Amino acid sequence: DKGPYAHYMLKEIYEQPGVISETLEGRIHKGRLLEASFGHETTALLDKTKHVQIVACGTSYHAGLVAKYWLEEVGVGCSVEVASEYRYRKVVVPEGSLLITISQSGETADTLAALRDSCSKGYIGSLTVCNVPESSLVRESDVCFMTRAGTEIGVASTKAFTTQLVALRLLMIALARRKGLTPEEEETMVNELHSLPRQVEVVLELADKIQIMAEDFSDKHNALFLGRGAFYPVAMEGALKLKEISYIHAEAYPAGELKHGPLALVDETMPVVCALPDDPLLEKVLSNLQEVRARGGELFLFSDHKVNIGLDRYQSLTLADIYPGTAPIVYSIPLQLLAYHVALLKGTDVDQPRNLAKSVTVE
Ligand code: M6R
């Protein structure tokens, strides 16, 4: 039942504050991670983990890419690969490596095959971050860490993605503890997560403004999404959402790669979307965007109060100040809404985009 919403996708976007709270429920309390809630088998596996290999497809792969930045920040090595490539590669597994699969459905054929093949590859074990309790990935992995997004019907994944990021952030905190995370640092990270549902609600209140931005996309054929650091995978996810439901060709690039090719595409007809929070790479991104403006590219920016954009022409939406740890989650929301409103204006089938299935159970 879609309730008051025109589409399941929109309903699922709006469910995010609630399902993020659900995913945190019983796992954090008063500035601490409740690791016992992970189960003994999981914590024993985390004790042995020196490196993480993440394998997933589509949106779930993007969640894995964000987690790589998080894990490396606390000293845990991490590789991420799409399952369809990983499966057919001769992988060299580092000592103490944990295989993490990420999947909404738990039935994605390539991800499942990657898990099955991993048994002979020397991993210390397998953990799945999954949304469907009875799924094949849950049954066949050594341990699971469930997201609690509820049923996701829209083919374009939204609430599954943000709850995957929450789950991965919790796992990161657990691994960080084993790397000497101080109680004060843990408190900061946990409190950021605790306030996340409210932060997401505040972004959802900007929907009307995003709807207006979307009007400039409906006659476009291409769009470029830029980001740096953990916002690069956020840009990848934004581009995937737009292409999936509006059929506009959208590509994501690390902003620093612009000059190495994609800048040649930029002219007045090219919208360029960028998440631009106040973070250590801000100045670098701004100088990349300057290049875009110099070629007439139209800029659509998502930023916060602390950022002085200082470019000549652009459209921007200012988000409330957010926390660095959870910012990639918060900045994913406006990109979901942008894709939704562009698709709506184009009159495409938002919940059932052409040629796509919700779950890819064949190779
Ligand atoms: O069920 P999974 O998370 O394993 O699915 C993986 C992809 O097929 C999925 O994320 C797909 O890319 C979505 N349609 C993206 O919105």
Side-chain angles (χ1 to χ4, degrees):
D1 178 22
K2 295 197 284 265
Y5 297 99
H7 296 95
Y8 281 108
M9 183 186 178
L10 190 62
K11 174 174 179 265
E12 289 159 4
I13 288 174
Y14 278 86
E15 280 172 352
Q16 290 177 109
V19 295
I20 288 171
S21 295
E22 280 291 313
T23 302
L24 291 170
E25 184 63 38
R27 290 168 169 166
I28 55 170
H29 185 63
K30 292 196 173 155
R32 305 225 66 75
L33 185 71
L34 299 180
E35 222 187 274
S37 69
F38 295 12
H40 174 70
E41 265 186 280
T42 303
T43 52
L45 211 44
L46 297 179
D47 287 342
K48 291 191 276 179
T49 300
K50 294 197 183 123
H51 171 270
V52 169
Q53 170 71 57
I54 296 179
V55 177
C57 299
T59 289
S60 300
Y61 166 66
H62 297 154
L65 288 175
V66 173
K68 176 181 166 77
Y69 287 90
W70 289 342
L71 286 166
E72 289 180 344
E73 238 162 66
V74 298
V76 179
C78 176
S79 312
V80 191
E81 196 163 359
V82 286
S84 55
E85 284 300 315
Y86 171 86
R87 277 183 70 182
Y88 299 108
R89 217 160 46 73
K90 194 163 182 324
V91 290
V92 178
V93 178
E95 200 204 320
S97 191
L98 171 67
L99 181 80
I100 298 187
T101 56
I102 309 174
S103 175
Q104 187 287 127
S105 62
E107 302 296 346
T108 298
D110 281 319
T111 311
L112 193 56
L115 168 69
R116 288 176 179 158
D117 295 350
S118 76
C119 303
S120 57
K121 286 184 174 158
Y123 287 101
I124 56 164
S126 58
L127 181 154
T128 187
V129 172
C130 191
N131 195 44
V132 179
E134 309 302 322
S135 62
S136 304
L137 275 176
V138 169
R139 277 188 274 109
E140 296 186 32
S141 299
D142 294 328
V143 294
C144 60
F145 195 97
M146 299 310 295
T147 50
R148 300 174 188 145
T151 310
E152 192 180 61
I153 292 174
V155 165
S157 187
T158 52
K159 61 177 181 169
F161 177 65
T162 45
T163 53
Q164 283 167 350
L165 289 175
V166 168
L168 290 162
R169 188 98 191 139
L170 290 168
L171 287 167
M172 178 280 277
I173 298 173
L175 285 169
R177 275 183 168 181
R178 290 152 173 83
K179 291 275 180 186
L181 186 77
T182 66
E184 294 73 32
E185 288 166 335
E186 177 170 331
E187 192 177 350
T188 305
M189 288 178 179
V190 169
N191 287 343
E192 285 180 352
L193 282 170
H194 180 71
S195 67
L196 183 59
R198 181 63 200 135
Q199 292 176 46
V200 172
E201 268 168 16
V202 172
V203 180
L204 290 172
E205 285 162 16
L206 300 172
D208 290 352
K209 294 191 175 130
I210 296 171
Q211 187 173 3
I212 296 168
M213 253 189 192
E215 287 168 15
D216 285 310
F217 283 75
S218 52
D219 61 339
K220 298 293 189 302
H221 299 290
N222 301 288
L224 204 53
F225 285 67
L226 301 177
R228 290 185 88 127
F231 297 93
Y232 169 47
V234 169
M236 292 169 85
E237 176 57 11
L240 176 62
K241 286 294 86 96
L242 188 70
K243 76 180 91 164
E244 204 175 13
I245 60 169
S246 77
Y247 314 150
I248 293 176
H249 169 236
E251 251 190 292
Y253 260 94
E257 276 289 298
L258 260 187
K259 280 201 192 108
H260 300 284
L263 199 54
L265 294 169
V266 175
D267 62 14
E268 307 73 42
T269 65
M270 177 69 92
V272 176
V273 182
C274 185
L276 194 64
D278 177 41
D279 81 354
L281 290 170
L282 174 68
E283 288 306 319
K284 304 252 179 230
V285 184
L286 280 173
S287 91
N288 302 140
L289 296 179
Q290 190 84 56
E291 305 271 357
V292 172
R293 270 310 302 143
R295 273 89 192 163
E298 274 185 81
L299 291 174
F300 296 85
L301 309 177
F302 297 95
S303 190
D304 65 47
H305 293 104
K306 293 190 198 135
V307 176
N308 175 11
I309 295 174
L311 296 166
D312 66 350
R313 266 189 52 228
Y314 59 88
Q315 286 195 41
S316 79
L317 200 66
T318 306
L319 277 57
D321 294 346
I322 36 103
Y323 303 101
T326 44
I329 308 177
V330 177
Y331 276 85
S332 302
I333 313 288
L335 302 185
Q336 297 170 347
L337 284 167
L338 182 66
Y340 174 78
H341 284 292
V342 175
L344 207 61
L345 288 167
K346 294 199 73 177
T348 53
D349 188 342
V350 171
D351 285 333
Q352 281 290 328
R354 67 187 181 198
N355 312 339
L356 298 179
K358 179 67 186 159
S359 187
V360 184
T361 54
V362 288
E363 291 176 29

